[in-house]
Amino acid sequence: MTAQRTFLITAATGNVGPHAAAQLLATGATVRALVLKDDPDIAKLPEGVELHYGDLADPDSLDPALDGVHGVFWMWPFFTLGVETAPAVLTKIERQAERIVLVSSVGVHIGLERRDNNCHAYLEELIEKTSLDWTFLRTTGFMANAFGFAGQIKGGGTVHFPHGAAARTSVHEGDLAAVGVHALTEDGHAGKKYLVTGPEVLTQEEQVHIIGEVIGRQLGWRDVQAQAAREEMVKSGWPPAYADGALDYFAMLTTQPEVGSTVVADVTGRPARTFREWVEEHADAFRADDTKAPAGAEDEDALALLWERVYDPLTTEILASLPIGRDWRCLEVGAGAGSMSYWLAAQADQGSVIALDTDIRRLDERRAPNLTVVRQDVAEAEVEPDSLDLILARAVFEHLPKAEETFERVVRWLAPGGWILLEDFYFLPSEHAVSPAARALIGAYFAGWKAVGADMHWGRRLPSTFARAGLTSVSMRVTPLGPGQDELDSELIRLRMKLQGPAMIERGVVSAENLEAFVASLDDPRDRDVTMLRFCVWGQKPES
């Protein structure tokens, strides 16, 4: 357990540090970040991290940050700092800590260091002479290196850079962090020199094409002379020796693909993330300003968060009544903004949670080391039968064209003794609504859902659907929803009308006057109404 332990992350605001911080926090540990006072990227660190101002160039400045730490996630800012103070810094770490994880380089693994440069190899050699329990993460390039192409992609669509055929096994920064967090918080990793890579070999040109597919543009690649690229790299801050080493390495990878490993899966228990998944997380960084998420996206985010505030309490109450084990394997279908996936990850802290959704923009895999975010439609997902202990889906199946067929297939994913909780809605007839404005709005809303194939009566059929699927211990909670039923629920309706009302008016399914009257009625106790029922139904797959 790490609840009483403290960990320090150095060079904490780069590509890896924020991931490591979030994942360590998720274990219950105290997390400290060593940052410079003028660091412009402090906001990248998650809430809850203790900031300690210090500089690796001044070893004495680390004393407060190191006081009482159990382990150190050690990254060295080679681009901006030589290694002259590294021995003194390591001496201070050894006096306080028991464990250290060093973010090293694939160059050590394949023997380029000390031939190329000796920075990572030098730090490894220093650490091996200490009494610390150490783990080295010999990583290939970060997927975040693709940010270097963003300017060209946004500005024209063709990337000009040498060695497009260089075949890389780039790693997701969150996966690299996860291996380090496991090494810091678990036994069995001391003395390991892990080669940490992504799961696939992709050329640089293939990476650019994937970016194009994700953002909906056809992108190109044009090889240029290495010298021209070197000049641009040095201008952007690369030390000349590093620019030379990187370009020579890329040239080598055009004929010898970069090495790969299964370390991420072996250590964390989940597959390493693909480059496409990384791009989906960062797509806006490659979009021109006129192709980014539309105005109103903040309201959409607010709607998703408010939806969770309204519906999470009962979901949590029901799930808390189940015998969730710390090693359970969980799946949330339609994970939305992730609140229940994060909750499940905390309960099943020695197990796993998959957060599945067709839109993963609001999901943050860094929130828990045992959380995997998957962008996929449940109707198309393939999951090993008998492999899950818990499945949760809220407001999902009512929108599926073949809901019962998909439900039967999902039940097969449950292991014997596993549980499934579904929540869906049943719309009451609009003609029975209390006010004329409500009758118009609810009728239009219902017709809109029906037009896209949703079944807004599905919730009522859940109990019988569970029974027909052979589930046992089937239980049910039904709650009324509608104007005036609950302050938060009314707030949710109000925001939904703000976002969706203009389109309804434009389509002519409701008038602006009706919309205005309905929103006003939310504050009038005379118009309190029940317009739909929320069905929460859960059951267990028989043991045999």
Side-chain angles (χ1 to χ4, degrees), residues 127-384:
I127 293 171
E128 286 179 315
K129 296 173 184 176
T130 70
S131 60
L132 292 163
D133 287 340
W134 52 262
T135 307
F136 300 151
L137 309 183
R138 293 174 169 176
T139 177
T140 51
F142 301 157
M143 291 180 182
N145 291 342
F147 284 137
F149 301 143
Q152 296 186 62
I153 289 172
K154 290 191 289 186
T158 298
V159 173
H160 298 77
F161 197 73
H163 311 306
R168 311 217 57 189
T169 55
S170 302
V171 64
H172 191 297
E173 303 77 37
D175 288 341
L176 175 64
V179 175
V181 167
H182 278 272
L184 284 173
T185 59
E186 300 174 352
D187 295 331
H189 303 283
K192 297 295 179 66
K193 301 176 180 179
Y194 287 130
L195 172 64
V196 187
T197 79
E200 58 196 344
V201 179
L202 291 172
T203 66
Q204 295 190 108
E205 185 172 359
E206 287 170 337
Q207 287 185 339
V208 168
H209 289 321
I210 289 172
I211 294 171
E213 290 171 3
V214 171
I215 66 174
R217 291 179 60 200
Q218 186 167 353
L219 303 179
W221 180 283
R222 180 172 296 175
D223 272 336
V224 299
Q225 293 295 320
Q227 183 59 34
R230 179 189 184 277
E231 292 174 1
E232 291 300 318
M233 291 167 72
V234 172
K235 285 181 184 177
S236 68
W238 282 67
Y242 282 88
D244 291 338
L247 291 170
D248 288 346
Y249 183 55
F250 295 160
M252 183 185 78
L253 296 182
T254 61
T255 58
Q256 304 173 41
E258 196 165 42
V259 292
S261 78
T262 60
V263 163
V264 171
D266 295 341
V267 172
T268 69
R270 60 173 178 77
R273 281 168 282 189
T274 65
F275 184 73
R276 183 178 296 274
E277 290 174 294
W278 180 90
V279 176
E280 288 169 347
E281 295 172 16
H282 302 283
D284 274 356
F286 299 96
R287 291 190 173 109
D289 290 340
D290 59 351
T291 61
K292 289 184 179 180
E298 290 184 1
D299 283 335
E300 292 285 357
D301 292 342
L303 182 67
L305 294 171
L306 184 56
W307 196 95
E308 292 180 340
R309 288 179 62 196
V310 172
Y311 297 121
D312 280 4
L314 180 55
T315 305
T316 304
E317 178 186 333
I318 294 170
L319 290 176
S321 72
L322 303 180
I324 298 177
R326 295 183 64 187
D327 61 347
W328 273 26
R329 301 154 297 175
C330 308
L331 166 68
E332 183 181 11
V333 179
S339 60
M340 293 311 306
S341 288
Y342 304 147
W343 185 86
L344 286 170
Q347 311 310 306
D349 59 342
Q350 296 177 8
S352 60
V353 176
I354 299 171
L356 182 79
D357 209 322
T358 55
D359 182 356
I360 62 172
R361 288 178 297 120
R362 300 179 182 92
L363 295 169
D364 186 357
E365 204 169 53
R366 298 176 300 175
R367 291 283 294 271
N370 58 335
L371 175 65
T372 301
V373 174
V374 176
R375 182 179 182 270
Q376 195 170 31
D377 189 323
V378 65
E380 301 171 356
E382 296 292 337
V383 177
E384 187 76 21

Side-chain angles (χ1 to χ4, degrees), residues 8-21 24 32-34 45 55-56 62 72-83 86 89 93 100-104 120 123 127 135 137 139 142 173 176-177 180 184:
L8 174 66
I9 304 170
T10 69
T13 61
N15 291 313
V16 181
H19 289 277
L24 283 169
R32 297 174 181 171
L34 185 73
L45 292 167
D55 191 339
L56 293 170
L62 275 65
V72 176
F73 197 102
W74 204 24
M75 294 176 283
W76 194 271
F78 294 111
F79 273 27
T80 57
L81 182 65
V83 294
V89 169
I93 292 174
I100 188 169
V101 166
L102 172 70
V103 177
S104 185
H120 296 98
L123 294 186
I127 293 171
T135 307
L137 309 183
T139 177
F142 301 157
E173 303 77 37
L176 175 64
L184 284 173

